[in-house]
């Protein structure tokens, strides 16, 4: 039992010692202008040269190491660590190209169909405009199924609507 207590005391002392030593790891150590070694938990003054800083906290040491890497070796290191271009499966690449080509063909077909519809609308609008300009009486069937003739106001409105259609579809 005494050995057990002694062992526990030794482990407890080691843990306490390690805990108390942790703040010492965050210490700065540098040589001042007179050559004396200085210790502090704050960084040295800016007047101290990099070569005179003997110890830094771990985070500051890593940052300093990153700052001192020359640009050429940094770009070479990043190029060396960059992954190689992934290999492309030829079958998947062919499927992707076919899909893209199909989409392009569909778009062209839709544009052609739209152009065809605009041309047909333009032709109808021109025919309607010739009828309106001819002065012939024009009649319509209303929602009740009754025939009604266009008066001057209705003819002007219809002519305006036809001009808008021609402006948008006859290019």
């Amino acid at each position: 039992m005494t050995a057990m207590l002694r062992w526990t005391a030794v482990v407890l002392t080691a843990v306490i010692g390690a805990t108390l030593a942790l703040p010492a790891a965050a210490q700065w150590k540098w040589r001042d202008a007179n050559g004396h070694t200085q210790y502090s938990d704050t960084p040295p003054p800016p007047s101290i040269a990099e070569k005179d800083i003997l110890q830094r906290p771990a985070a500051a040491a890593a940052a300093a190491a990153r700052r001192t890497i020359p640009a050429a070796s940094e770009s070479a290191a990043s190029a060396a660590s960059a992954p190689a271009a992934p290999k492309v499966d030829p079958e998947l690449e062919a499927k992707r190209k076919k899909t893209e080509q199909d989409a392009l063909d569909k778009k062209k077909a839709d544009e052609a169909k739209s152009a065809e519809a605009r041309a047909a609308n333009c032709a109808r609008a021109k025919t309607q405009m010739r009828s309106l300009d001819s002065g012939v009486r024009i009649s319509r069937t209303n929602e009740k199924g009754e025939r009604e003739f266009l008066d001057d106001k209705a003819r002007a409105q219809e002519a305006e609507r036809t001009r808008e259609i021609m402006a948008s579809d006859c290019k």
Side-chain angles (χ1 to χ4, degrees), residues 90-153:
E91 196 173 306
L92 289 175
E93 185 66 19
K95 284 182 181 178
R96 183 188 62 79
K97 285 183 180 179
K98 184 179 181 323
T99 304
E100 287 177 357
Q101 186 63 39
D102 289 346
L104 200 98
D105 292 345
K106 185 179 184 306
K107 183 178 178 185
K108 285 182 182 178
D110 289 345
E111 287 174 358
K113 191 174 182 180
S114 176
E116 197 174 298
R118 281 194 311 272
N121 286 342
C122 177
R124 278 192 298 275
K126 285 181 178 180
T127 302
Q128 175 72 5
M129 198 64 195
R130 278 193 298 271
S131 296
L132 290 168
D133 290 341
S134 70
V136 175
R137 288 181 65 181
I138 298 176
S139 65
R140 288 191 190 163
T141 306
N142 64 17
E143 54 275 345
K144 295 179 185 176
E146 299 170 342
R147 186 174 179 185
E148 57 184 34
F149 289 95
L150 296 181
D151 60 359
D152 289 341
K153 182 179 175 186

Side-chain angles (χ1 to χ4, degrees), residues 20-71:
L20 293 175
L22 283 177
Q27 296 296 312
W28 289 84
K29 179 179 173 184
W30 72 91
R31 192 172 301 117
D32 66 8
N34 298 330
H36 295 100
T37 303
Q38 301 291 323
Y39 298 90
S40 177
D41 59 347
T42 59
S47 62
I48 302 299
E50 282 290 320
K51 65 180 179 76
D52 291 330
I53 299 174
L54 306 174
Q55 179 182 342
R56 309 169 187 263
R66 282 193 301 271
R67 281 193 308 265
T68 58
I69 294 175

